[in-house]
Amino acid sequence: MKRTASIDKILKPLETTPFQAYLSNAVQVADILDWILSQVGTSEIWQTSFSISEEFLRRLYFITKDKKVSRINLVLDHKATNKTLKLWAFITQVIERTYLADNHSKILLVKSESGQTVSVITSQNLTRGNRHESAFISTSPEIFQELHSQISDLIKNHSVPLHDLFRERITAD
């Protein structure tokens, strides 16, 4: 986030605003994740994106290092495989499960240990850009469940599990 911007000027607390949206160049996906976790506590994360950057991974590394996340499930697009493989060593230090699929969605699902759920649908990839991006944020359990079900289907039936493939390859060697 830009140092001069305050996320509280862009978003309202989750407990008082079950549906909200923004269009801004001052907020990044990692800012939103950190903001959500500060309100709901330690959580499991499901995230989809076309691609991921080293800068986003650094932010995610520090979020996980602070024990704010119990597990991350990430779905990236097949077309970004070269970029994903270049970051693979770093990805494995931060993200427990990474999958490749025909995916262009940018969704963030957060489920806290206490059962709270937050869904974010955004225009931004997991990269850093100072462009205007938009997002819709919801604490609706129904929206979370629908998106979670669809992401689970994408993972189970339409993706390649990178961690498993790499583990099998290493074991074979």
Side-chain angles (χ1 to χ4, degrees):
M1 184 168 12
K2 293 181 178 181
R3 294 177 195 258
T4 59
S6 169
I7 199 162
D8 296 327
K9 293 186 183 207
I10 298 167
L11 297 169
K12 296 175 177 65
L14 293 169
E15 70 178 82
T16 61
T17 314
F19 303 103
Q20 56 188 310
Y22 69 85
L23 173 65
S24 174
N25 67 347
V27 178
Q28 302 290 316
V29 175
D31 299 323
I32 300 302
L33 176 58
D34 207 20
W35 174 79
I36 291 169
L37 294 171
S38 73
Q39 295 175 74
V40 303
T42 303
S43 302
E44 183 170 359
I45 307 298
W46 292 264
Q47 203 153 26
T48 70
S49 182
F50 179 78
S51 66
I52 193 166
S53 71
E54 183 178 346
E55 183 171 2
F56 179 81
L57 279 169
R58 279 195 306 270
R59 291 284 307 275
L60 203 53
Y61 171 80
F62 288 109
I63 289 170
T64 58
K65 185 177 179 189
D66 289 341
K67 307 280 190 232
K68 295 177 183 179
V69 174
S70 59
R71 179 178 171 152
I72 301 172
N73 307 280
L74 175 66
V75 179
L76 298 171
D77 191 90
H78 285 292
K79 292 182 181 178
T81 301
N82 287 339
K83 184 177 183 182
T84 302
L85 293 178
K86 287 178 185 174
L87 294 171
W88 185 248
F90 196 5
I91 289 172
T92 60
Q93 300 302 309
V94 180
I95 299 170
E96 188 170 336
R97 306 293 297 167
T98 303
Y99 305 89
L100 292 179
D102 290 331
N103 177 67
H104 201 259
S105 67
K106 289 107 181 149
I107 298 171
L108 168 63
L109 298 180
V110 177
K111 184 173 185 178
S112 74
E113 290 178 345
S114 67
Q116 292 175 277
T117 59
V118 182
S119 307
V120 180
I121 301 171
T122 180
S123 63
Q124 185 180 11
N125 285 304
L126 303 181
T127 57
R128 174 78 180 175
N130 292 320
R131 297 173 166 222
H132 280 79
E133 300 282 358
S134 60
F136 172 78
I137 302 169
S138 169
T139 57
S140 161
E142 294 83 10
I143 290 174
F144 177 91
Q145 189 53 46
E146 187 64 32
L147 289 170
H148 182 267
S149 175
Q150 293 170 5
I151 290 173
S152 295
D153 178 67
L154 178 65
I155 288 171
K156 183 178 178 184
N157 298 312
H158 308 283
S159 75
V160 175
L162 277 182
H163 279 81
D164 294 344
L165 292 176
F166 274 99
R167 190 174 304 119
E168 288 173 15
R169 179 67 184 152
I170 291 169
T171 306
D173 288 343

